[in-house]
Amino acid sequence: MDVNRLQMRRAAAIATVFGVLALMTTGALDRLLLGVFIDAGLVLGWGNARLTWMYIVHITDSETPSKQKLALSSAGRLGILTGLSIVVAILTRPDGIGIFFGLAMFQVIIVLLTVLPEVKGLRQQS
């Protein structure tokens, strides 16, 4: 099994758990719409990670891999993601700010899923 696919599945599963917890918590606080936007941020974060992985595979598999192509695709994707998030947060304030919490939460999840196996490997080497 491909390690990257496994990490994306784990990230999706963990994000789903956090999304359900966010909905339960915000629902109990009578701010359910905030939980919906947190979940939307988690979904956008997962989508961004998935697209990033697909672009990296596509660019590195091409005959002429280019850092410039990778940088441009990342900049475009992040620009669209940021613009969309800002528009949602402004138009649906105060609950729309949850989209940023969801994006940040997903970034923490994906970084931990990437870093922890590496730290484990370094410990085993020493």
Side-chain angles (χ1 to χ4, degrees), residues 1-2 8 11 22 27 31-32 35 46 51-52 72 75 77 80 87 91 109:
M1 172 158 242
D2 187 12
M8 289 302 293
R31 298 288 300 269
L32 190 58
W46 184 84
L51 285 173
T52 300
L72 287 174
R77 196 175 48 259
I80 291 169
V87 167
L91 292 178
I109 291 168

Side-chain angles (χ1 to χ4, degrees), residues 51-52 54-78:
L51 285 173
T52 300
M54 287 172 34
Y55 273 109
I56 288 171
V57 168
H58 176 72
I59 290 172
T60 56
D61 284 348
S62 69
E63 290 182 19
T64 56
S66 167
K67 289 181 185 178
Q68 185 178 11
K69 286 181 185 177
L70 185 60
L72 287 174
S73 71
S74 294
R77 196 175 48 259
L78 291 176

Side-chain angles (χ1 to χ4, degrees), residues 1-10 50 53 57:
M1 172 158 242
D2 187 12
V3 174
N4 292 323
R5 286 186 191 266
L6 185 61
Q7 282 183 333
M8 289 302 293
R9 285 183 185 164
R10 284 184 184 154
R50 180 89 171 133
W53 178 57
V57 168

